[in-house]
């Protein structure tokens, strides 16, 4: 949502339009609803976007009862230009809603639009005060130094991946089958399943993650903050080896934790991850890209994405034990990422905003 909102700011500047604070479409992800102000400091954002983009909290009276005209900006083949394709609708209808998508590459933005986008993403968005206070207390509660591990092995994640995991526990298999029924995406089988896995499309299990961490000589006594969603499966595969694991639910009191929305929980993980001593991700998703970029922006470079493709290729070759551990080390030895190129790389430029 953060990435899409930053794109929306850049598009508003391109079109010289006023931006209305967005509504989060979170139901499809978290099965609940919450607003922009639940996560971000609204007044701080408006103040720091002054001179870049005009932002309003609510619609003016003359159009407050109108529904916006929907403009499809979803990804398509060929170059898509917002000024040519969207501006006429804005001029005609005065009030439009767009589908967030990077249809026009950001590196083609004129500098004034690029500056607005980067200002929003790296300077103007900060957590709402109550959430930032809670995040700061959570950070203080984690023993230092610590590693933030973004582990993705929830039932819906496995279902979307279309990968098979025959060695899961009966309860995990049941949870995945239920998720598959909801997303209507059947797992690949036979040769297609093998090729899919070797292309690095399958999420790492907690057990596989622990094996890679061991190959990187990360001690089992390492303090690990687990940045993960609810319903994480097979966690014993990690916690049986790495025993100093801390989570939101274990560090927050029960009332605080249960009262939080799904996206405010994710915001806590983001805050902890951009302030951790080191960050490791088992997937290369949107949060991982944003975290890596923000850590680079802050000068924190101990950031690593584990190689799903490398793990699949090595295990398919029959490597086991010490040979597999050495090979995994070789795969990851030069893989520390600097953030640039992971998310909004055009913001890492030579001039100051």
């Amino acid at each position: 949502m953060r990435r899409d909102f930053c794109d929306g700011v850049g598009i508003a500047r391109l079109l010289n339009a006023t931006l209305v604070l967005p509504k989060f479409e979170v139901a499809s992800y978290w099965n609940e609803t919450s607003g922009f102000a639940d996560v971000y400091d609204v007044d701080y954002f408006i103040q720091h976007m002054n001179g870049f983009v005009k932002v309003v909290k609510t619609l003016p009276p003359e159009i407050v009862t109108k529904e916006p005209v929907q403009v499809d900006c979803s990804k398509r083949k060929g170059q898509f230009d917002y000024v040519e394709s969207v501006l006429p609708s804005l001029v005609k209808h005065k009030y439009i809603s767009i589908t967030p998508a990077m249809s026009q590459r950001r590196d083609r933005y004129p500098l004034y639009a690029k500056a607005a986008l980067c200002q929003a993403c790296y300077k103007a968005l900060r957590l709402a005060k109550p959430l930032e206070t809670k995040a700061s207390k959570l950070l203080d509660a984690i023993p230092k130094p610590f590693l933030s591990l973004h582990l993705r092995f929830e039932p819906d994640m496995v279902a979307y991946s279309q990968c098979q995991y025959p060695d899961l526990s009966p309860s995990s298999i049941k949870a995945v089958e239920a998720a598959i029924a909801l997303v209507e995406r059947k797992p690949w089988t036979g040769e297609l399943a093998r090729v899919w896995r070797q292309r690095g499309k399958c999420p790492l299990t907690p057990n596989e993650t622990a094996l890679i961490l061991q190959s990187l000589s990360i001690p089992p006594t390492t303090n690990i903050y687990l940045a993960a969603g609810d319903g994480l499966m097979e966690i014993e595969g990690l916690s049986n080896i790495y025993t100093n694991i801390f989570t939101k639910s274990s560090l927050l009191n029960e009332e605080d934790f249960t009262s939080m929305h799904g996206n405010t929980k994710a915001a806590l993980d983001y805050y902890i991850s951009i302030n951790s001593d080191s960050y490791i991700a088992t997937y290369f998703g949107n949060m991982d890209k944003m975290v890596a970029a923000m850590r680079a922006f802050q000068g924190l470079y101990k950031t690593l994405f584990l190689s799903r493709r490398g793990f699949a290729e090595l295990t398919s070759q029959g490597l086991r034990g010490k040979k597999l551990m050495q090979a995994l080390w070789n795969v990851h030895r030069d893989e520390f990422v600097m953030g640039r190129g992971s998310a909004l790389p055009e913001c890492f430029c030579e001039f100051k905003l």
Side-chain angles (χ1 to χ4, degrees), residues 32-339:
E32 50 83 15
T33 58
S34 56
F36 185 90
D38 293 318
V39 180
Y40 296 115
D41 186 329
V42 172
D43 293 331
Y44 183 88
F45 176 75
I46 293 175
Q47 177 186 345
H48 282 76
M49 289 313 300
N50 184 36
F52 292 89
V53 172
K54 183 180 179 181
V55 182
V56 295
K57 296 180 181 179
T58 57
L59 292 167
E62 60 269 22
I63 59 173
V64 71
T65 59
K66 295 182 180 180
E67 286 295 319
V69 174
Q70 302 288 334
V71 179
D72 181 19
C73 300
S74 55
K75 293 180 180 178
R76 63 197 75 190
K77 293 182 179 180
Q79 186 173 345
F80 176 79
D81 188 278
Y82 287 103
V83 174
E84 291 181 2
S85 303
V86 180
L87 185 58
S89 294
L90 177 62
V91 172
K92 179 180 178 181
H93 301 289
K94 309 300 182 185
Y95 175 35
I96 65 173
S97 174
I98 63 172
T99 305
M102 198 184 71
S103 299
Q104 175 177 285
R105 284 172 48 188
R106 301 187 197 98
D107 58 7
R108 296 190 181 125
Y109 280 14
L111 287 181
Y112 61 83
K114 193 182 293 186
L117 180 148
C118 297
Q119 174 74 3
C121 204
Y122 290 99
K123 295 289 186 67
L125 283 175
R126 77 174 183 186
L127 296 184
K129 271 297 178 186
L131 187 57
E132 186 176 47
T133 299
K134 189 175 294 185
S136 180
K137 289 181 179 179
L138 181 60
L139 180 62
D140 290 341
I142 303 171
K144 311 297 189 297
F146 75 98
L147 162 87
S148 179
L149 176 65
H150 190 209
L151 182 58
R152 297 301 314 274
F153 203 70
E154 304 90 356
D156 59 336
M157 185 70 178
V158 174
Y160 273 112
S161 75
Q162 297 182 274
C163 297
Q164 292 186 332
Y165 294 88
D167 297 328
L168 298 183
S169 66
S171 60
S172 294
I173 291 175
K174 185 177 180 180
V176 171
E177 288 175 347
I180 289 173
L182 289 175
V183 303
E184 299 181 343
R185 297 180 70 172
K186 293 183 178 180
W188 298 112
T189 58
E191 180 64 14
L192 286 175
R194 186 191 67 81
V195 171
W196 191 248
R197 182 171 290 277
Q198 286 206 310
R199 288 176 60 191
K201 299 296 184 178
C202 297
L204 292 168
T205 68
N207 185 62
E208 292 168 344
T209 301
L211 181 62
I212 299 177
L213 296 185
Q214 287 178 296
S215 76
L216 300 176
S217 298
I218 296 176
T221 55
T222 300
N223 296 317
I224 296 178
Y225 173 80
L226 197 58
D230 299 333
L232 189 63
M233 302 184 298
E234 308 288 310
I235 187 59
E236 297 80 9
L238 176 70
S239 60
N240 286 342
I241 298 171
Y242 289 90
T243 55
N244 294 339
I245 291 180
F246 303 89
T247 63
K248 297 180 292 294
S249 59
S250 69
L251 295 172
L252 295 173
N253 66 58
E254 185 176 356
E255 183 179 353
D256 267 352
F257 184 74
T258 55
S259 66
M260 295 181 70
H261 298 293
N263 59 345
T264 51
K265 291 178 183 178
L268 288 184
D269 285 342
Y270 174 81
Y271 181 91
I272 299 300
S273 295
I274 65 173
N275 289 291
S276 61
D277 297 285
S278 52
Y279 177 76
I280 291 180
T282 64
Y283 207 75
F284 190 56
N286 289 320
M287 174 171 164
D288 306 309
K289 297 171 185 177
M290 293 301 301
V291 167
M294 185 59 77
R295 286 177 62 82
F297 184 73
Q298 296 179 161
L300 302 172
Y301 296 117
K302 292 183 179 179
T303 305
L304 178 66
F305 298 141
L306 301 187
S307 175
R308 289 164 289 143
R309 174 179 288 183
F311 184 85
E313 289 177 348
L314 293 173
T315 52
S316 70
Q317 295 169 16
L319 294 182
R320 297 291 184 271
K322 291 183 178 179
K323 288 186 177 180
L324 176 59
M325 300 281 274
Q326 182 60 49
L328 286 170
W329 162 252
N330 292 336
V331 165
H332 293 91
R333 181 176 52 196
D334 301 321
E335 287 296 309
F336 284 93
V337 293
M338 306 298 278

